[in-house]
Every structure is written in C-alpha cells, then in structure tokens.
Amino acid sequence: MMMETVLSRSIRLMLASGMMMSLGLSVTAQAQEAAATQRVEVTGSSIKRIAAEGALPVTIVTAAEIRALGVTSAVDLIKKLTAVQGSTGESASVGGASYGFSGVSIHNIGESRTLVLLNGRRLAQFGGQTLTGFAAGFDLNAIPLSAIERVEILTDGASALYGADAIAGVVNFITKHNSTDGDITLGYSAPANGAVEKRFSATKGYGSMIDDGFNVTMTFGHDERTNLKSVDRSFADTGKRTFTQNGKSYQKQQFSPSPIPANALDDNGQLISPFQKTTGACPSKTFRVIEPYNDGSGLVDDYCGYDFVKDLQIYPERKRDSFMASITKKIGDNEVYADLLLSRTTQISRIAAVPGGVSIPAGSALHNKYLLPLGITNDSLAFYRLADMGQRTSRDTSEFSNIVVGTRGVLSSWDYNLAYNHSESNVKGNISGYPGALAVRKLTSSGLLDPFVGPGQQSAAANAAIAGARYDGYWDGGVSKLDTLTLNGSRELMRLAGGAMMLGMGINFNKEAFESKPSLFAQAKLSDPVAGTLCDGTAANPCDQRFGDESSVPPYSASRISKGIFGELIIPLSKTVELGAATRLDSYSDFGSAVTAKASVRWTPVASVLVRASAGNGFHAPTVPQVNGVQQSYGVTSNKYTCTSALQATATAFGGICQPGNKQYDLLAGGNSSLQPEKSKQATLGIRFEPNSALSMGADLWHVQIRDVFGQLTEDLVFANPGQFNSSWTTKRDTGTGSTYLAFLSNNQNLGKSYSTGLDLDFTARAKTSFGQLSSQLSVTHMLREVTQLEKNGAYYSALGNFAELGSVSFRTQGRLTTGLQSGQFATTLALNFKSGYQDQATSVEVLDAAGAATGTETIRKQVGYFSTWDAQTVWTPSKTWTVTGGILNVFDHQPPFVPSTSGANRGQQFGYDDRYYDARGRTMYVNASYKF
C-alpha cells in the first residue's frame, strides 16, 4: 500500500526520469496532479483517499533521499531531521546506563510523547526503560534502514488514528512490500582513529500480486562499528581544560576524588593525598585540586583528582543484525498478510575503573604505614580506584521482535484492515570490572589490598584476590511487551460540492506489560556475587552490593489494558475548502477514560496556494514503570557538590552526613501511584505556495501546551535550595564504609505546565542548466517559545538557547541547506547543517593569571556559538544494476564547541563538549556499493 503526498509522488516520478531532486528531506506541498486515482492512507488520518496534500503537516523522506543523506542507520537519519530535538543518542550509554537506547523527540517535546510506528502500527517501548520515564519510547536501533521504503513524519500531535498520547507527533517507518527486486549493498565508513563501520544488507522479493496472487519480500542487514576513545579526540581527551572568555583566562577541571593511589581524610575531615604529601607531586592520570570549604571555616581540601576522562570510550562498540519479512496473499478481493521483524543490537562501552570508599581504622597496618606519619590519628576513609581490576565494561543487548498478521480489502463498500500485533523488547545488561563492596572491605582488612600504591604495584596474592572479586555477568534488564488488536475502516458517505464526504472508524485493544529483571547481585541478595552465594542479611552472612555505586534494585512487574474507539470525517464543502473532524475515546484499566478530539481545515484559494490549520487535545498516561516502579538506588548525581552549611543542616536533619570534599551524591528514585496523566492542547497553522514546478515553499506554525507534566525536580535546583525541598532528600548507607550519607531522592511527580511554539520552514528550487539539473532545498525549524514549570504553580523556566534549570537545551534555530547537481551518470550534493548557539549552564571555574596559576574561582555562563558542518557526496550510476556512492560527512572536521558544564539529563561521562548535541566522530569518509537484480 502506497502512502505519499502528490508532490512526493511527483518527486519520485522526476527521479525516475533522471531529474535530480535535492538530497535533503522532501517537502509536502499542494496537490498538482489531477490524474492521481489511487486511494492511499496518509500518516495522521485513518481515511483512505485520493493522494493529496492534507490539512496536517506530513514530511516524507524516501529511500532514495535516505541514501543521499549518507546516513547508515535510523538513528543517524533522525539526527538529520530539522524538526527533531532532544533525542537520546548512542553515546549516552558511556557511563549513562542507557542500555544503548536511541530515541526520537519532535520539537524537543519528548521521546515518550513522540509516537514511533512501523507500517502504521504501534511498537513495544524499550525494555530498558527506567521508572523515571527515561527511554520510555521506541529504540530506533531495532529499525533496519535497509528495509525502509520511506519515513513519514507528522509534526502535529494527538492523532485520532494512532492515539491521543502522540502529543509531539508521529514518526512512521514504512517498509518495503510487494516487490520482486533484489538488492545487495556493502558499505564502509571511516572516521579518524575509531568508530569505523562496516555494513551489509540484502533484499529480495518473490511473486507478483497481479500475476501470482502473492508476494514475499525479505531483508537482512548487518552492521558493526568499532569504539572511539576519548584520547583520540583533542576536544575530549582530558578533564583539565583551559579557555578564555571576555578577555579572561579560566580553567575547568573534571575529575574524581578517588584516584590511585588513594586520597584520604585527615583528622579535620579534609581530603588529602598521602602520595602527594609524601612525594610532592600527584600520581599519573591525576592533577592537584585545592578547594576551600564554603562554610567559612577556612578549611581547604588539598588532594589529587583522577582524570577519568582519559579512560572513556566516547562512542561505544556496536553490532546490529536484523531480519524482516513481509508476506501477502490475495484471496478474492481481499488480502491476508503477515509482517515479521527480528533485530538484535549489542553495544559495548567502557569507562574508568571503579572508584569507592574504603575504611582505614586507626591502628591498622595501613593506617600506621601511610596516615599516622602524616599526623592522622583517627579512623579515616580512603577514596580509591581499583585500577588493577580493569575498566568498567557494560555489554548491553537489546532484542526486538514484532509480528503482525491480518487481512485487508473492501467489504460492503468499506476499506477495512483487521490485524493482530505482538511486539516485544528484551534488554539485557551485562557488566564486568565491578566487585562487591564487602569483597573490597575484606581485601583491605585482610591486609592484601593496599589502596596507597599505584597501578600494578599490588602483591601477587593481592592481584589474585582482586581477580577473584571481579564480577563478570548479567546485571539488570527488562522486558516490555505490547499486544494489540485493531480494526480500522473507511468509506465514502455521500457526494458534496467538493467531492466525496469520507468516514473513518476504528477500534483497538491493547495490553502493555513490563517486567524489571535485576540480577540477584543487583537485588543485593548475594554474599559472594562471584560465587553466587545467597545471603540472609545476618552478621555471619551479610548481603553484598556493588562497590562504588551501590544499587539495590528490587524486581517488579506490572501491566495495563487499554481500549480505544475513534471516528473521523473528511468534509469537502467545496473545491477549495475541506473540513476534518476526529474524536477518540480511550479507556485505561488504571487511569479511567478520556475523550480527545481534533478539527482541521484545508483551503486552496488558488491552485498554487494551500492554507491549512488544525486544533486538538491529547491525553498521555504515565508508563507502567513510572507508576509501579519500586523506590531504589538510581546511580549518582550528574554533578559534584561541596557541603555547604545549608546542605549540612539538611544532612543532619535526615540523620546522615555530607559526602566529603567535592563529590557526587547517591541518587534514589521510585514510581508514583498517584501520578496523573498529562493533558495537552495543540494547534497548527500552515501555508504552502508552489507557483510553478521549479519553486515550492511552505511554513507551519505549531503550538503545544501540556499540563501535569511528568518529571523530577532537577538536582541543581534542589542542591541550590536544599531547605526548600525536603521531599527530595533521603539517606543511604554505604556498605563499604558503613557511613550513612545524605542522598538525593528523585521521584516521579506532576510538575506543572509547559508551552512550546515554533515554526517549520522549507524552500525548494529547481533549474535545468546546460551542465545538468540543479536543485536546492532549505529546511529550518525555528523555536519561538518554550517554557516549563518545575513545580505546580511555580516559576517558569526555559531551555530555549539556555542550558540552566531544565538540564537540557532547545536550539532556537536548526536547519539544513542542500544543493544538488544531476549530470549524466553522476549526482553530486553539497549540504550545510547548522544550529544556533546557547548559553551554557552556570559553572564554577578557576581564574588563571598571566602565568597560568589559579588565583580563585568564579561562576560563569559560557556562550556556546553557532555550529555548522558541511557534507559532500557523489552518486555514480554506471548502469541500471550498479550504484556507487562516496561521500564525506563534516568535510572540514569542525570540532564540537567547548562547554565547561558537566550535568544534564541523559548525558554520558564525556567532558569538554556536550555529546547530546554534537557528534564526536568528526570528519567521516564513507562508500556504499549496491547491486540490483
């Protein structure tokens, strides 16, 4: 079944006849082709009708355009869409526990509010989603790009057909069907010094629906990529960076207070480096850190900070395999069909060796040897990095399966489609390089482990004991399932002045289920994680937790059933005016019922102009984990914090103590059974102008407002005002040291309201010249407004060009300009990708004098500038069977701008740039060769 606007069909026809369209994203425009007679279903509507530009803004990207963009995956394709902002990328898995998830967010309204479809059908959410709502969307890694015929992007939300929860919009991947073509493609991409990618795909179809009454189309794809290390990029190779702003020199140091050899606490509670005190210099991979206390005491921490940035892999190693099959059989005037998708993605990321605290009792051999000579007489804590155990490694595997069986055709004048769909995402996270906290305590108390010596300097017995304490195996994961039964139909009701009045109706039954599946180690149910020995919590058989970042994760499972019924009318009042109306009733087993509606209008005052508008409301229930997740350890804060007097008062009130020095705090989170659904209103107003076949332009103004927004209070807001947010605090006992520390509690809440407004623009021009067909296209998204409340009835904050309270950035402007030339067997394209700058988060940095010495600290907000890259590509088609494509992404190797901030939602451990917004791979040369048969 074809789904395309008339202009996109015209583009396809021009391509088939040798005319070169712009190699960027196709635009939608007014219908120009009166001869179109095939009824098709367009994303955003349930009604089959004559293909034409509708009242809703739908952008279509064809397979040819995807190839021309030089992208190698659905993840990279989504990055090229100018309307997409705020999506999670693969690099977030570097220390971010994302299990390799990559999502899509339209207009930065959210991945959980952007609905991803495969052939118009819902898919199971990611099995590695968290109870806070992170990764509560579809993982794009499961989509095989080689199987895609086109992608349709609806940038208007709350579709009656697909669901009222599509607040931001819909991304619909349409796969190859009813084809007898064969295709084999090989590809290779080569950035400098890492992230090298190899690709293979094969597609073949059998049987003609017209001649044979059946068709089978199958696609297999495989790709693999090597890792990219931080030390292989000058902008990301160290945690100690100097920079200038407004004529002043600054220094920002990103580090861990747990180096090797270890730092320790003296009798005043100050953090020192015994190694530095003894030798006068800091050890390898560290630099000296001097931090005055903020409580007016005059005390100073003077220690060696570990440059963990040098140990990161900023792009993870990855392998993906996918298989897709589509089977269609004609029976009379109807068809029965089945679609199958199987995919498996494995991603490996590595970060610095595990850090943690170790107790050093007064009178112990270690205390007497290293601390007593420095005047430390009391019990102490050593902050140590177990480098001899090797890097912490996460091996995440995501398996996705989707099967659809159904029948479609015409019955009693109804175009109908009845289908059952089972979709499942199974995520497994394996770790290595982590010991148990009790195991490390035993190593230290036995005298085997010496935290005050450097890497490789432990005794043979200690090395054997360290190797024996290393856990290597399954850690955590989850399974998300979705079962759906749908029946959709559309028909013509009557003839009006403008044409046929059309009715669409449908019903659906959904069952969502989620199961969290932590290992026994993650549940803190083992006394010896390596041997798998169960514990009972007694003094004789205590339960161990992960050293350095303890995480006791209870398992849980939950499910919900939802039902929906919808109706839609298309009313062509005249040849120039068409009205649309849709309504939907959703009923949830855990949230009751909700009625949503949408109205639209399409007006063509003259043949070259189309004006369209829509307005509607939406309803978005929280995910199953957001409601049912058990409160648990959730890692550590993104930023490090020193203990202010206000923070100490909060710690005392909760019966705990502050973290010593400048450290990250433990983070806990849990579901909220009182969470209420989000409710939205959205509207669009657009105009398209196509005076002739050589020129097309358009603009769509959109607005989305949401109340009862899901979220958590940001850590920077709470730590800056600890006394104002008592519900955001708790305590956590450290198994390794026995101390009880203040911890940040980040439970799900309904925070308040949000408003977003923006403008999507596009312009396309074509010209036939003496040297070939020339075309150029500009696509731009410009954000006009974006504000959000962080608590009900609270102040509004904005991320628009501003990285501050919300923990992320919305770029005011981003776009892509492409120019292409088709001449004979060659098609060459040059593309400019650009985005506006922003003001970085307020960050404390050191002020440097003319000699480079630190003279004090200052809190600054760095202005991050406009950023752009150029791409170039040539496609050579020597025959009907062969196509060779060569290109360069980021031709001039433009490096990401420096940013000193380190916190932010869905951000990895990278430093020096923000991996959420800029690609660390840099200049990338690629080649693809396709053979068609």
Side-chain angles (χ1 to χ4, degrees), residues 577-637:
V577 178
E578 178 183 277
L579 302 180
T583 186
R584 182 179 182 92
L585 169 65
D586 288 295
S587 177
Y588 291 82
S589 59
D590 50 357
F591 283 101
S593 300
V595 176
T596 53
K598 173 172 283 188
S600 64
V601 61
R602 176 182 180 274
W603 177 42
T604 53
V606 294
S608 60
V609 176
L610 165 67
V611 179
R612 61 189 176 197
S614 68
N617 64 323
F619 176 90
H620 180 210
T623 66
V624 172
Q626 281 179 301
V627 177
N628 299 282
V630 181
Q631 189 174 104
Q632 58 193 255
S633 297
Y634 199 69
V636 294
T637 57

Side-chain angles (χ1 to χ4, degrees), residues 715-781:
E715 63 179 67
D716 289 325
L717 178 67
V718 174
F719 273 87
N721 308 278
Q724 296 180 23
F725 301 101
N726 286 331
S727 62
S728 295
W729 299 108
T730 186
T731 57
K732 188 172 183 297
R733 184 178 182 274
D734 188 301
T735 303
T737 65
S739 300
T740 299
Y741 294 106
L742 183 68
F744 177 48
L745 182 59
S746 185
N747 282 343
N748 297 322
Q749 299 182 38
N750 290 115
L751 298 180
K753 299 177 182 179
S754 73
Y755 298 87
S756 300
T757 307
L759 192 62
D760 294 332
L761 303 165
D762 63 76
F763 176 91
T764 299
R766 314 168 192 83
K768 189 174 182 179
T769 69
S770 59
F771 45 83
Q773 183 71 32
L774 187 67
S775 63
S776 187
Q777 183 186 58
L778 174 66
S779 298
V780 178
T781 292

Side-chain angles (χ1 to χ4, degrees), residues 401-539:
S401 61
N402 188 73
I403 183 168
V404 181
V405 292
T407 179
R408 61 193 169 214
V410 179
L411 183 64
S412 298
S413 74
W414 284 87
D415 280 309
Y416 77 93
N417 196 331
L418 171 66
Y420 166 74
N421 182 25
H422 174 77
S423 186
E424 184 171 326
S425 173
N426 190 345
V427 173
K428 299 175 183 177
N430 287 266
I431 61 170
S432 62
Y434 290 87
L438 291 178
V440 174
R441 184 191 292 184
K442 290 176 183 177
L443 282 172
T444 307
S445 61
S446 69
L448 285 174
L449 180 66
D450 187 343
F452 298 108
V453 299
Q457 297 179 11
Q458 300 288 344
S459 66
N463 282 326
I466 290 170
R470 175 188 173 105
Y471 180 81
D472 187 352
Y474 177 72
W475 172 249
D476 200 358
V479 179
S480 176
K481 297 180 182 180
L482 175 65
D483 289 274
T484 303
L485 181 64
T486 59
L487 173 61
N488 299 334
S490 64
R491 62 165 295 172
E492 186 177 308
L493 287 182
M494 64 179 70
R495 303 297 297 183
L496 299 178
M501 180 178 178
M502 302 292 295
L503 169 68
M505 298 185 68
I507 57 174
N508 63 268
F509 298 88
N510 305 317
K511 181 180 180 181
E512 298 175 69
F514 181 83
E515 182 179 5
S516 171
K517 304 179 73 172
S519 65
L520 292 175
F521 185 17
Q523 295 179 52
K525 290 187 175 181
L526 299 177
S527 59
D528 186 340
V530 176
T533 307
L534 292 172
C535 64
D536 57 17
T538 63

Side-chain angles (χ1 to χ4, degrees), residues 31 46 104 144 200 318 395 540 578 584 658 699 729 758 878 916 924:
S46 65
V104 53
F200 167 78
R318 185 200 66 213
R395 181 185 178 90
E578 178 183 277
R584 182 179 182 92
C658 282
W729 299 108
R916 297 173 297 176
T924 301

